Amino acid sequence: MDPLDFLTDKQLLQYFRCSRTEMSCMEQPHTFLNQLRDHHFIPEKMHTKLIRCKSKEVREKGVYQVLDWVEAERPNSIKVFWKCVFRDHLLLQYPTLRLLRNRLLDGSFTFYENLPEKVEKEEGEEDKKKKKGSAEGEDEEEKTRRKKKNQKKRSESVEEQPSTSTQSNPSQKRKVQRPTYSSPFSKNEKADIWTWPIYKTQLPVTCGDKEGTLNRDKLAKGKTCIVVQGRWFTPSGFQEFGGKKSSKNWKCSIRCRGTTLGKLIQEGHLTSPDFKRRKSAQAKRALFLSNQSAGSITESEENDDDEEEEEEEEAEQEKEEVFKVTCGAINGMLHKDRFVSGSRGKSIRTELRWMTPVEFVKGESALEDPSWKKDIQWEGKPLSVLIESKILVIHSLLCKCKLCSSTAKDRHDQDNDDDCFICRSQGNLICCDECPRSFHQRCHLPNVDGAMMGDDCPWICTFCVLRASQSWRYPKQITYQEALTRQISDNLLECQYLLLCLYHADEDHIFVADPCIHVGNYTSVIKTPIWLDRVVEKLQQNLYQSVQHFVSDVLLIFTNCATFNRDNAEFRVMGERLKDLFEREFKSTFSIQLQHPTASNSQ
C-alpha cells in the first residue's frame, strides 16, 4: 500500500508547493525531467528546451518554472506526480526525493491548511493595486516607474524568491512558502506520532534493519497488515523478515518510532485481536525435567525477570507451533494448528504431502490406531507427552470444524500449505495438485495468470513439472560447459526452478530487493549491483541469451555479497550458503557429470 494513498489531493498539492525549490536545486535533473516528460507531465518542447541548458543557475530556474507549470496545468494529477517521482530509480539517484518521501512517511512535515488561502489573498491585493493604477490613466513611463518602486519595496521586506512564471504580470506570480521543519507540537503537547493525521490508518514500523508500513485496520482484523515494497507480511512474518525470528515476540521486536507495538496496544493506540496465549518456554522445558532441574528453572525465573515479562506480554500465537516428528525412517513436521486427532486433521507435512498422524504411521491406511501416540516421536519422546501436557489437544468426536469434517472438499483443502512456499505469508494462494506447495500468483515462476485458474483445471507448480520431465529432458549426463552454452529460451524451466529455490532459501529476503535502496554506501563499494528480483525481470524480458549469462548474474549476487560484507561474517555466510545451494541444484537440475568442477570454479 502506497503511503500517498493516505493523503488527500489538497495535502499533496500543498506539499508540492512547499517542495518546488528543493526539487529545482537537484543536481543533474535530466533523469527527473525525462520521467516527467515520459509520463506526460510536461510538453516535449519544454523538456527539450530545458535539457539544452548548460548553465546550472539557468537550469535551476527553468526546473522551478516547469514545476510551477505542472501545478497550474496538472493540479488534478498531483498524486500521480508524486507516485511518478517516488519511483525506485529516481529515489536512488536523487537524495532530495528520498528526503521528501521520508518527510511524508515520518510525519516531520506539517500540513498548513491555510497556506493556499493566504497566497490567494495576497494575489488579490496585487490585482487590486494593478487595477487602481490602470483606472487613474497612468502613462507608460509612470507605470514602469511605479512597478520598479513596488518591486524594490518587496525586495526589502520579503526574502528574494526564484521566478515562478515566465509571464510579467505580478498578479500571476506566487510567493514560495518554504517548508518548516520545526516540531508540529506545542511546547507542552505530547508528541505521539500515532495521533498525527497521516497516521490515522497506517504507521511506519521497523524491525531490525527493515522498514515497512502497518495498516491499522488489517492488524485489528488479524490479517496480513505490514507492507514492504508491495509485499504483505503478518507481524510475525515481518519480524522474521527483519532478522528477529529468535525474539519470539513481535510486539516487543517491531517498533514505531522507537515505541514497541506492545506498548501502543497496551495504551489503546492500536487494536490487536485476541490470540491464544503461548505456553512459556519454561513450561515447555519443564515437561521432561527432573525435580533437581526443575529447581534450577525456578531459580532462573527469579533471575530473569525481563525475559519472564516478555513472555507474559505475548498475547498472539504469532506462528503456528511446529514440531519435528519421526516414525522409523520417515521425517515430517507436525503443525499444532492443524492437529485434531489420529485419523482426522492432516497435521503432519512431509516433503511430498500432508498426512494425518495415522497416515504418517501406516502410509495410506487411515484406520484409527492408538499406537500412533507412541510410534510418532518428538525429540526422542512419544507424541503422547505433548497430548498429556495439553500442548496438543484432541478434538471431540462431535466437533464440526473443517479440520474434523469428513467431506471430500474439506479434506482436499488440507492437502496444501496455508502459507506461500516462497514468501511464507498468507493471502490468496494457488495450490499445486501434485505436491503440498501453495503460492501467490506473482511469487510463482512463471507468474500465474488468473485466467488459467478454474475449478476443473488442475495446476502443477514448477517444482513438480521439472521433477516429472527431468528424465526425458536429460536422458544422459552432460558437462558443465555444455549446460552453460544452452540457449536460455530452451531452458526457462530450469532457470525458473533455480530462482524459486533461492527465493525459498532466502528466508530473510536479504538478496531479493535492490540493495542500493537500503544501503547508503552500497554503490561506492559495488559497481555492478544485482539482486534476485532484477534477475527475474531480465529473465522475463528475454535479456539473457544463454544459460551462462543467467548463471553469471546469479553468481554475481553472491560475489557482491562477499565483497561488501568482508567484515560482516553473518551476511557473508548467508551468501555462501545460498551460493552452495545454487551450485548444488544447478548440477542436479542439468544432470551435470559429477567429476566436473563446480560452477564457481569454472567461471
Side-chain angles (χ1 to χ4, degrees), residues 127-138 143 146:
D127 286 334
K128 192 178 297 183
K129 289 181 180 180
K130 180 176 180 295
K131 292 178 181 179
K132 181 179 179 181
S134 300
E136 293 176 352
E138 295 176 322
K143 288 169 63 178
R146 179 167 296 199

Side-chain angles (χ1 to χ4, degrees), residues 141-191:
E141 183 178 353
E142 179 64 15
K143 288 169 63 178
T144 303
R145 183 185 64 79
R146 179 167 296 199
K147 180 179 178 181
K148 290 181 178 179
K149 183 178 179 180
N150 289 339
Q151 289 177 344
K152 183 178 180 180
K153 288 182 179 180
R154 285 197 299 271
S155 66
E156 292 174 350
S157 58
V158 182
E159 181 181 358
E160 183 180 355
Q161 302 293 342
S163 172
T164 58
S165 174
T166 56
Q167 302 180 29
S168 61
N169 190 335
S171 67
Q172 295 181 355
K173 293 184 179 180
R174 300 178 185 270
K175 290 186 179 180
V176 179
Q177 173 69 37
R178 297 183 184 275
T180 302
Y181 306 117
S182 59
S183 172
F185 302 101
S186 61
K187 184 176 181 180
N188 298 322
E189 186 178 2
K190 185 179 179 181

Side-chain angles (χ1 to χ4, degrees), residues 346-357:
K346 298 180 181 181
S347 57
I348 301 179
R349 189 193 193 279
T350 66
E351 183 65 26
L352 299 178
R353 56 176 294 199
W354 282 92
M355 301 179 177
T356 66

Side-chain angles (χ1 to χ4, degrees), residues 486-493 495 539 544-547 550:
R486 285 174 170 261
Q487 292 295 311
I488 200 74
S489 57
D490 297 329
N491 294 270
L492 280 177
L493 175 64
C495 295
L539 189 66
Y544 295 121
Q545 297 301 316
S546 68
V547 172
F550 165 79

Side-chain angles (χ1 to χ4, degrees), residues 332-427:
M333 303 299 293
L334 189 150
H335 292 244
K336 175 183 174 180
D337 70 328
R338 280 184 172 227
F339 178 79
V340 170
S341 67
S343 59
R344 293 177 294 161
K346 298 180 181 181
S347 57
I348 301 179
R349 189 193 193 279
T350 66
E351 183 65 26
L352 299 178
R353 56 176 294 199
W354 282 92
M355 301 179 177
T356 66
V358 169
E359 289 172 340
F360 185 65
V361 173
K362 293 192 172 185
E364 293 297 326
S365 173
L367 297 176
E368 184 65 84
D369 187 338
S371 65
W372 63 269
K373 297 179 183 179
K374 63 178 181 180
D375 290 342
I376 299 177
Q377 301 281 307
W378 169 66
E379 296 186 355
K381 309 292 190 297
L383 202 62
S384 58
V385 174
L386 293 177
I387 297 173
E388 293 168 0
S389 64
K390 305 299 183 182
I391 292 179
L392 295 180
V393 178
I394 296 179
H395 290 206
S396 164
L397 291 174
L398 301 178
C399 180
K400 297 182 179 180
C401 73
K402 288 188 176 182
L403 292 172
C404 292
S405 174
S406 59
T407 65
K409 181 181 182 305
D410 287 335
R411 289 183 62 84
H412 181 64
D413 287 343
Q414 300 175 38
D415 289 338
N416 290 89
D417 299 337
D418 299 321
D419 299 330
C420 174
F421 187 73
I422 300 303
C423 71
R424 292 178 168 80
S425 62
Q426 298 179 348

